[in-house]
Amino acid sequence: MSKTAEPQSRPSTDPLFQPLRIKHVLFRNRFMSTSHACGLEDGGFPTERYQTYHEAKAQGGLALTMFGGSSNVAPDSPNIFRQLNVGTDEIIPHLQQFSERIHRAGATLMCQITHLGRRGDPYTQDWLSTIAPSPIRETLHRSFPKEMDEYDIDRVVKAYAAAALRCKEGGLDGIETLTGAHLLGQFLSPKTNKRTDRFGGSFENRCRFPLMVHQAIRKATGDDFLVGMRFTVDEGVDGELTADECIKMGQFFEQNGCVDFFNAIYGSMDTERGLAYENMPGMDSKIAPWVEPVGHFKRAVGVPVFHAARIADIHSARYAIAEGHLDMAGMTRAQIADPQMVTKLREGRESEIRPCVGATHCMSGYRPSCLHNPATGREITLPHIITRSKQAERRIVVVGGGPAGLEAARVCAERGHQVSLHEAAANLGGQVLLGTRGVWRRDLIGLIDWRAMELERLGVQVHTNSYMEAEDVIALQPDVVIVATGGMPDIDWIDGAVHCTTAWDIISGQIPARNEVLVFDGTGRHPAPQVATQIARDGKTVTFASIDGHLAAELTYAERIAWKRRLYEHKVTTLFDHRLVRVEPVGNRLAVTLANDATLDEQVVQTDQVVVEHGTVPMDDVYKALRGQARNAGVTNIDALLAVVPQPCTLNPEGTFELHRIGDAVSSRNIHAAIYDALRLCVAM
């Protein structure tokens, strides 16, 4: 077990690099990654993929990496969002291997253990009823829980203690429990605890069960094992616990010797709105929104306080520590974006830190992958640090300056190749520039700006206003050509496409919106709700029709609630489960035929303008024109791509260069897919 990790060298004036001691454990700085369900577990256990994901952060210099968001202590707290199972001794060998790996990198390791209570699911795993202090349903997770009797309470107390002991035997430095909307928090809050026995009603009674849990944990693990609480400091607008009562509870647990630290959270997590705007705020929220309320709590208790909620940049973290609001800055998503963040800062390379833009892709079903760092979660096959190639100095031409092209150029330059990038438009960024015009999505520009700065640092020749024909590319005598030209809006399939406007046309301002507009969404991505919001904000009447059964079907819950809120605010009429059949003129208006996918009935809606979002079709003319002269005939070998090894180039022995296309030049996908294409192709060159 790590007890005396050496603090890193850094000017003593930087509060972020001051060591912190809690009992016998010395944390080398003030950076931490908080516990989360990263989606890399195997059968409920943290096997190699899970461990290497956290190891990358430890090697990158942080002091503490927490893991196992919502790790389950008992069978009636089921695995519903890819948690770990700390309710069995089978996890101990995995924890031992994990702790050795993290300690070897100089960091400390802790796990979050919990019981979901009513937040669980009665129809998964062992099909057991959920349990709670009172039989009150949580709308978000939908279960009707059983009211716990004292046998349940005794059983769960013992389960917590046994799970904590397993963590200690696994070599961890400590654990935290979770209040919030989980079982401990369900007892604490009068919103969810309506009991009239000794576990409900008064302040002391509502604290009784969490106190029993922590006393049992302390007895099982002893004083040489850190025990904390991820603790709500204010339940926010959806809750009943005020900041003052949360302070009183925190002081109560501290005075009873239950906790060595608090890991502070704000708000409620039993609704999508609470999750997206309070508990785990994203791009639609301001930076570090709860640092000051957490600081108010910290000044009232006597143990260290950790906190993470969109502390996305170094300046915010430094302010929070320097002003005494926090003792440890949880920069979980920032280190998903760049696990090397701490090392880069320590070495004076802050400008090289890949920024977290708050896109919440790491909270999607594809977690923990960052929107613009596809190596995260794939550490076994993809590197965070790009090394020089044995075939360095190849002449590589990248056509297209969107996310895919920029990443390809960056990675190839890091590999030591001679890279030039050619973008037809005046500015780098491609479709991302349209996305940044959305009211709450401006931070997306960070993923373009960072790459542009990296290309400048790496000496890549960047040419804008540079439209490339095949002969222009060939004239550069390339060894490799990477086509990242993106796509154009896909509307030609529509019967009456000539009467339609694309979402791009409206967002870019090339075509003005008319008074009454129907927006058709055929993707469930950002552009359709973005254009609908933009038009409605200008006072126009908007109907939003979608082929999907609900809004923003391809997006994360945080993105979905952000658009949903805006459509409600601007009184946009919504129509789901409808296909676009045809558009035809009727006088000076348009008649839009829509078919209901559930009933197959058709209806005709008249409007002034039809705006369509249906993804893109590849702009691949230059790629097609070059295929005949490419050694690989323009074929990207999928087996080599997946294995991250050099591409075979044997299909056309007469060819003079290697040719690939990536991103939307292949098919209509998202930013992560485009950047992932580029990284796994180019890191093998």
Side-chain angles (χ1 to χ4, degrees):
M1 188 179 300
S2 174
K3 299 181 186 298
T4 56
E6 289 298 322
Q8 297 161 326
S9 59
R10 179 71 180 178
S12 60
T13 55
D14 191 339
L16 289 171
F17 283 91
Q18 301 306 304
L20 172 69
R21 182 179 292 279
I22 304 178
K23 288 185 172 177
H24 61 286
V25 178
L26 182 64
F27 300 90
R28 58 185 174 183
N29 54 53
R30 302 304 180 95
F31 294 96
M32 69 175 291
S33 172
T34 51
S35 53
H36 53 289
C38 67
L40 299 174
E41 85 302 332
D42 184 3
F45 301 132
T47 53
E48 188 178 10
R49 280 200 314 155
Y50 197 110
Q51 294 178 29
T52 54
Y53 161 68
H54 282 274
E55 184 181 28
K57 301 180 186 186
Q59 291 172 338
L62 56 57
L64 167 63
T65 188
M66 283 189 166
F67 70 98
S70 305
S71 294
N72 296 305
V73 301
D76 49 1
S77 180
N79 187 342
I80 59 172
F81 37 85
R82 307 197 67 177
Q83 304 108 295
L84 300 181
N85 180 8
V86 289
T88 173
D89 288 348
E90 291 179 57
I91 199 170
I92 295 174
H94 299 287
L95 297 181
Q96 290 171 338
Q97 182 186 55
F98 196 179
S99 59
E100 288 173 7
R101 190 188 294 261
I102 299 303
H103 292 154
R104 191 164 54 243
T108 52
L109 183 67
M110 296 190 194
C111 181
Q112 180 186 97
I113 65 174
T114 195
H115 194 296
L116 296 171
R118 69 174 190 159
R119 196 175 174 82
D121 184 344
Y123 308 127
T124 191
Q125 201 166 299
D126 296 312
W127 282 64
L128 296 172
S129 174
T130 58
I131 59 174
S134 302
I136 301 171
R137 188 188 196 215
E138 182 187 288
T139 303
L140 183 60
H141 291 84
R142 309 188 63 80
S143 77
F144 288 90
K146 167 196 173 186
E147 181 174 289
M148 294 171 69
D149 58 28
E150 294 218 16
Y151 294 100
D152 292 318
I153 288 171
D154 181 63
R155 170 177 59 84
V156 174
V157 168
K158 290 177 180 176
Y160 266 103
L165 182 57
R166 291 183 189 103
C167 291
K168 182 176 182 180
E169 291 174 346
L172 274 59
D173 299 287
I175 57 98
E176 68 174 8
T177 62
L178 174 58
T179 62
H182 289 227
L183 187 59
L184 298 187
Q186 291 161 26
F187 271 87
L188 293 175
S189 177
K191 176 183 176 180
T192 47
N193 185 347
K194 305 297 183 184
R195 301 174 75 101
T196 57
D197 63 0
R198 67 191 185 109
F199 292 98
S202 69
F203 170 87
E204 291 77 10
N205 283 355
R206 284 182 283 118
C207 289
R208 191 181 307 277
F209 172 63
L211 177 62
M212 291 169 61
V213 166
H214 271 257
Q215 287 176 331
I217 289 173
R218 186 68 85 191
K219 183 177 179 181
T221 61
D223 287 335
D224 62 342
F225 188 67
L226 297 187
V227 178
M229 269 188 176
R230 197 161 195 177
F231 190 77
T232 303
V233 299
D234 188 323
E235 279 195 323
V237 296
D238 288 336
E240 295 184 24
L241 285 177
T242 65
D244 288 344
E245 188 162 20
C246 289
I247 286 173
K248 183 180 176 183
M249 285 179 171
Q251 292 170 336
F252 173 82
F253 292 121
E254 179 190 349
Q255 290 161 6
N256 278 276
C258 290
V259 292
D260 299 310
F261 64 88
F262 289 106
N263 190 356
I265 53 177
Y266 183 97
S268 302
M269 60 172 76
D270 53 3
T271 65
E272 276 195 346
R273 189 213 60 79
L275 276 172
Y277 289 109
E278 293 179 355
N279 199 248
M280 291 181 281
M283 195 185 297
D284 196 26
S285 301
K286 67 180 183 179
I287 295 291
W290 311 124
V291 161
E292 293 194 5
V294 170
H296 178 64
F297 174 84
K298 171 180 159 46
R299 281 180 274 278
V301 297
V303 295
V305 174
F306 309 163
H307 174 59
R310 210 175 180 223
I311 304 177
D313 62 274
I314 295 298
H315 301 294
S316 298
R318 185 176 287 121
Y319 167 82
I321 299 295
E323 294 298 312
H325 296 306
L326 316 176
D327 292 291
M328 292 281 280
M331 302 188 72
T332 312
R333 285 177 279 179
Q335 290 179 86
I336 286 174
D338 194 341
Q340 286 287 311
M341 178 184 70
V342 180
T343 293
K344 289 178 180 178
L345 180 65
R346 189 183 70 242
E347 295 177 352
R349 299 186 289 129
E350 185 173 350
S351 63
E352 296 176 32
I353 295 173
R354 186 190 314 239
C356 171
V357 298
T360 68
H361 188 271
C362 58
M363 295 156 56
S364 71
Y366 311 108
R367 66 183 187 276
S369 293
C370 171
L371 184 69
H372 73 126
N373 186 355
T376 293
R378 300 184 177 103
E379 284 80 7
I380 292 175
T381 56
L382 291 173
H384 287 287
I385 300 173
I386 310 298
T387 57
R388 187 174 177 85
S389 172
K390 293 179 181 178
Q391 302 180 53
E393 304 297 336
R394 298 172 83 190
R395 187 178 292 110
I396 296 181
V397 175
V398 179
V399 185
L406 291 170
E407 179 71 354
R410 181 189 76 86
V411 175
C412 288
E414 290 275 21
R415 295 285 281 164
H417 299 302
Q418 300 174 28
V419 184
S420 63
L421 181 143
H422 301 263
E423 164 57 41
N427 298 297
L428 300 173
Q431 293 179 51
V432 173
L433 298 182
L434 294 176
T436 62
R437 298 192 181 203
V439 177
W440 60 274
R441 301 186 73 227
R442 292 172 183 148
D443 287 355
L444 276 178
I445 198 63
L447 66 89
I448 301 300
D449 288 347
W450 178 74
R451 284 176 171 78
M453 289 190 296
E454 284 293 279
L455 297 192
E456 182 177 359
R457 178 180 68 84
L458 294 165
V460 173
Q461 300 175 34
V462 175
H463 307 273
T464 54
N465 295 308
S466 179
Y467 183 84
M468 300 292 281
E469 300 281 6
E471 56 269 25
D472 300 317
V473 174
I474 293 169
L476 296 175
Q477 298 181 316
D479 297 307
V480 182
V481 179
I482 300 172
V483 175
T485 43
M488 290 296 291
D490 177 21
I491 65 169
D492 287 346
W493 56 273
I494 301 170
D495 182 356
V498 68
H499 306 297
C500 298
T501 303
T502 73
W504 291 19
D505 290 330
I506 300 293
I507 293 170
S508 66
Q510 292 183 8
I511 295 178
R514 298 183 183 175
N515 290 327
E516 191 174 341
V517 183
L518 183 141
V519 174
F520 176 75
D521 184 8
T523 64
R525 301 173 185 170
H526 287 287
Q530 179 179 338
V531 74
T533 300
Q534 179 176 317
I535 295 170
R537 195 176 63 242
D538 291 339
K540 316 294 186 183
T541 301
V542 180
T543 298
F544 183 95
S546 175
I547 196 170
D548 296 313
H550 60 86
L551 181 68
E554 283 195 16
L555 305 184
T556 67
Y557 71 84
E559 294 168 315
R560 183 167 56 249
I561 196 68
W563 288 126
K564 187 184 293 185
R565 189 183 75 165
R566 284 166 173 78
L567 295 190
Y568 277 129
E569 287 175 348
H570 296 296
K571 297 180 172 55
V572 173
T573 300
T574 55
L575 192 63
F576 296 107
D577 296 307
H578 280 74
R579 287 181 287 109
L580 179 59
V581 177
R582 73 183 66 88
V583 179
E584 51 196 344
V586 177
N588 62 351
R589 284 166 62 83
L590 296 172
V592 186
T593 302
L594 299 167
N596 186 310
D597 263 352
T599 67
L600 302 183
D601 293 335
E602 292 189 353
Q603 66 170 304
V604 178
V605 177
Q606 289 202 8
T607 187
D608 296 327
Q609 190 175 35
V610 178
V611 178
V612 176
E613 157 57 16
H614 196 261
T616 60
V617 290
M619 281 198 302
D620 55 3
D621 289 350
V622 69
Y623 165 79
K624 289 177 178 177
L626 290 168
R627 290 192 73 168
Q629 299 179 61
R631 292 196 307 274
N632 63 333
V635 174
T636 301
N637 183 282
I638 291 177
D639 292 335
L641 185 72
L642 297 180
V644 195
V645 297
Q647 288 282 319
C649 293
T650 58
L651 294 177
N652 180 14
E654 303 301 318
T656 57
F657 52 83
E658 185 178 335
L659 172 67
H660 302 278
R661 57 176 172 162
I662 57 177
D664 282 7
V666 179
S667 66
S668 181
R669 292 171 293 162
N670 66 13
I671 292 171
H672 180 84
I675 293 175
Y676 187 21
D677 272 3
L679 176 60
R680 60 182 167 180
L681 173 70
C682 298
V683 79
M685 287 185 175

mmCIF file of all heavy atoms in Angstrom, residues 662-680:
data_model
loop_
_atom_site.group_PDB
_atom_site.id
_atom_site.type_symbol
_atom_site.label_atom_id
_atom_site.label_comp_id
_atom_site.label_asym_id
_atom_site.label_seq_id
_atom_site.Cartn_x
_atom_site.Cartn_y
_atom_site.Cartn_z
ATOM 1 N N ILE A 662 -10.612 9.098 -44.604
ATOM 2 C CA ILE A 662 -11.022 8.967 -43.212
ATOM 3 C C ILE A 662 -12.187 9.904 -42.919
ATOM 4 O O ILE A 662 -12.494 10.808 -43.696
ATOM 5 C CB ILE A 662 -9.854 9.270 -42.248
ATOM 6 C CG1 ILE A 662 -9.295 10.680 -42.505
ATOM 7 C CG2 ILE A 662 -8.756 8.231 -42.378
ATOM 8 C CD1 ILE A 662 -8.182 11.089 -41.536
ATOM 9 N N GLY A 663 -12.850 9.690 -41.786
ATOM 10 C CA GLY A 663 -13.922 10.567 -41.350
ATOM 11 C C GLY A 663 -15.123 10.529 -42.265
ATOM 12 O O GLY A 663 -15.471 9.503 -42.848
ATOM 13 N N ASP A 664 -15.771 11.685 -42.435
ATOM 14 C CA ASP A 664 -16.982 11.753 -43.252
ATOM 15 C C ASP A 664 -16.702 11.597 -44.738
ATOM 16 O O ASP A 664 -17.637 11.464 -45.529
ATOM 17 C CB ASP A 664 -17.719 13.064 -42.996
ATOM 18 C CG ASP A 664 -18.511 13.036 -41.696
ATOM 19 O OD1 ASP A 664 -18.371 12.056 -40.945
ATOM 20 O OD2 ASP A 664 -19.267 13.990 -41.419
ATOM 21 N N ALA A 665 -15.445 11.605 -45.134
ATOM 22 C CA ALA A 665 -15.115 11.274 -46.522
ATOM 23 C C ALA A 665 -15.374 9.794 -46.802
ATOM 24 O O ALA A 665 -15.418 9.371 -47.960
ATOM 25 C CB ALA A 665 -13.657 11.607 -46.821
ATOM 26 N N VAL A 666 -15.559 9.014 -45.722
ATOM 27 C CA VAL A 666 -15.943 7.603 -45.845
ATOM 28 C C VAL A 666 -17.450 7.458 -45.706
ATOM 29 O O VAL A 666 -18.126 6.895 -46.560
ATOM 30 C CB VAL A 666 -15.230 6.743 -44.777
ATOM 31 C CG1 VAL A 666 -15.649 5.281 -44.896
ATOM 32 C CG2 VAL A 666 -13.719 6.884 -44.891
ATOM 33 N N SER A 667 -17.987 7.975 -44.602
ATOM 34 C CA SER A 667 -19.430 7.934 -44.351
ATOM 35 C C SER A 667 -19.757 8.928 -43.250
ATOM 36 O O SER A 667 -18.875 9.380 -42.514
ATOM 37 C CB SER A 667 -19.883 6.526 -43.949
ATOM 38 O OG SER A 667 -19.325 6.165 -42.693
ATOM 39 N N SER A 668 -21.036 9.245 -43.114
ATOM 40 C CA SER A 668 -21.487 10.258 -42.168
ATOM 41 C C SER A 668 -21.457 9.708 -40.741
ATOM 42 O O SER A 668 -22.246 8.831 -40.384
ATOM 43 C CB SER A 668 -22.912 10.700 -42.528
ATOM 44 O OG SER A 668 -23.371 11.695 -41.640
ATOM 45 N N ARG A 669 -20.515 10.233 -39.941
ATOM 46 C CA ARG A 669 -20.387 9.797 -38.549
ATOM 47 C C ARG A 669 -20.072 11.002 -37.667
ATOM 48 O O ARG A 669 -20.142 12.136 -38.112
ATOM 49 C CB ARG A 669 -19.286 8.729 -38.443
ATOM 50 C CG ARG A 669 -19.640 7.407 -39.116
ATOM 51 C CD ARG A 669 -18.451 6.462 -39.189
ATOM 52 N NE ARG A 669 -17.425 6.977 -40.087
ATOM 53 C CZ ARG A 669 -16.163 6.565 -40.098
ATOM 54 N NH1 ARG A 669 -15.755 5.665 -39.219
ATOM 55 N NH2 ARG A 669 -15.300 7.064 -40.968
ATOM 56 N N ASN A 670 -19.720 10.744 -36.409
ATOM 57 C CA ASN A 670 -19.489 11.864 -35.499
ATOM 58 C C ASN A 670 -18.006 12.217 -35.388
ATOM 59 O O ASN A 670 -17.148 11.613 -36.031
ATOM 60 C CB ASN A 670 -20.097 11.583 -34.120
ATOM 61 C CG ASN A 670 -19.420 10.427 -33.389
ATOM 62 O OD1 ASN A 670 -18.348 9.957 -33.770
ATOM 63 N ND2 ASN A 670 -20.044 9.961 -32.315
ATOM 64 N N ILE A 671 -17.713 13.219 -34.574
ATOM 65 C CA ILE A 671 -16.347 13.727 -34.426
ATOM 66 C C ILE A 671 -15.416 12.643 -33.903
ATOM 67 O O ILE A 671 -14.286 12.479 -34.388
ATOM 68 C CB ILE A 671 -16.324 14.948 -33.485
ATOM 69 C CG1 ILE A 671 -17.046 16.127 -34.136
ATOM 70 C CG2 ILE A 671 -14.891 15.337 -33.119
ATOM 71 C CD1 ILE A 671 -17.271 17.300 -33.184
ATOM 72 N N HIS A 672 -15.871 11.900 -32.905
ATOM 73 C CA HIS A 672 -15.015 10.862 -32.325
ATOM 74 C C HIS A 672 -14.617 9.833 -33.376
ATOM 75 O O HIS A 672 -13.451 9.422 -33.448
ATOM 76 C CB HIS A 672 -15.736 10.168 -31.167
ATOM 77 C CG HIS A 672 -14.921 9.092 -30.517
ATOM 78 N ND1 HIS A 672 -13.986 9.353 -29.542
ATOM 79 C CD2 HIS A 672 -14.877 7.755 -30.723
ATOM 80 C CE1 HIS A 672 -13.409 8.227 -29.173
ATOM 81 N NE2 HIS A 672 -13.934 7.235 -29.871
ATOM 82 N N ALA A 673 -15.567 9.413 -34.201
ATOM 83 C CA ALA A 673 -15.271 8.421 -35.235
ATOM 84 C C ALA A 673 -14.235 8.947 -36.217
ATOM 85 O O ALA A 673 -13.329 8.216 -36.645
ATOM 86 C CB ALA A 673 -16.551 8.035 -35.969
ATOM 87 N N ALA A 674 -14.346 10.224 -36.577
ATOM 88 C CA ALA A 674 -13.409 10.816 -37.526
ATOM 89 C C ALA A 674 -11.990 10.849 -36.958
ATOM 90 O O ALA A 674 -11.014 10.497 -37.627
ATOM 91 C CB ALA A 674 -13.866 12.221 -37.898
ATOM 92 N N ILE A 675 -11.881 11.259 -35.701
ATOM 93 C CA ILE A 675 -10.560 11.359 -35.075
ATOM 94 C C ILE A 675 -9.986 9.973 -34.795
ATOM 95 O O ILE A 675 -8.774 9.744 -34.928
ATOM 96 C CB ILE A 675 -10.651 12.216 -33.799
ATOM 97 C CG1 ILE A 675 -10.989 13.673 -34.182
ATOM 98 C CG2 ILE A 675 -9.365 12.171 -32.995
ATOM 99 C CD1 ILE A 675 -11.230 14.593 -33.012
ATOM 100 N N TYR A 676 -10.842 9.036 -34.445
ATOM 101 C CA TYR A 676 -10.407 7.654 -34.224
ATOM 102 C C TYR A 676 -9.866 7.046 -35.521
ATOM 103 O O TYR A 676 -8.825 6.374 -35.525
ATOM 104 C CB TYR A 676 -11.592 6.854 -33.693
ATOM 105 C CG TYR A 676 -11.302 5.437 -33.256
ATOM 106 C CD1 TYR A 676 -10.022 5.003 -32.923
ATOM 107 C CD2 TYR A 676 -12.350 4.529 -33.133
ATOM 108 C CE1 TYR A 676 -9.792 3.699 -32.507
ATOM 109 C CE2 TYR A 676 -12.131 3.228 -32.712
ATOM 110 C CZ TYR A 676 -10.857 2.812 -32.399
ATOM 111 O OH TYR A 676 -10.636 1.520 -31.990
ATOM 112 N N ASP A 677 -10.560 7.298 -36.638
ATOM 113 C CA ASP A 677 -10.040 6.880 -37.949
ATOM 114 C C ASP A 677 -8.600 7.346 -38.132
ATOM 115 O O ASP A 677 -7.711 6.589 -38.529
ATOM 116 C CB ASP A 677 -10.881 7.500 -39.076
ATOM 117 C CG ASP A 677 -12.079 6.655 -39.470
ATOM 118 O OD1 ASP A 677 -12.318 5.610 -38.849
ATOM 119 O OD2 ASP A 677 -12.786 7.074 -40.410
ATOM 120 N N ALA A 678 -8.398 8.636 -37.863
ATOM 121 C CA ALA A 678 -7.085 9.242 -38.109
ATOM 122 C C ALA A 678 -6.012 8.664 -37.196
ATOM 123 O O ALA A 678 -4.902 8.335 -37.643
ATOM 124 C CB ALA A 678 -7.179 10.750 -37.922
ATOM 125 N N LEU A 679 -6.318 8.535 -35.915
ATOM 126 C CA LEU A 679 -5.305 8.079 -34.967
ATOM 127 C C LEU A 679 -4.856 6.658 -35.266
ATOM 128 O O LEU A 679 -3.653 6.384 -35.372
ATOM 129 C CB LEU A 679 -5.845 8.170 -33.538
ATOM 130 C CG LEU A 679 -4.912 7.625 -32.452
ATOM 131 C CD1 LEU A 679 -3.594 8.377 -32.426
ATOM 132 C CD2 LEU A 679 -5.582 7.668 -31.082
ATOM 133 N N ARG A 680 -5.798 5.736 -35.417
ATOM 134 C CA ARG A 680 -5.381 4.343 -35.576
ATOM 135 C C ARG A 680 -4.743 4.059 -36.932
ATOM 136 O O ARG A 680 -3.959 3.125 -37.067
ATOM 137 C CB ARG A 680 -6.541 3.385 -35.307
ATOM 138 C CG ARG A 680 -7.746 3.548 -36.191
ATOM 139 C CD ARG A 680 -8.831 2.571 -35.766
ATOM 140 N NE ARG A 680 -10.113 2.891 -36.374
ATOM 141 C CZ ARG A 680 -11.219 2.180 -36.162
ATOM 142 N NH1 ARG A 680 -11.178 1.124 -35.374
ATOM 143 N NH2 ARG A 680 -12.352 2.528 -36.733
#
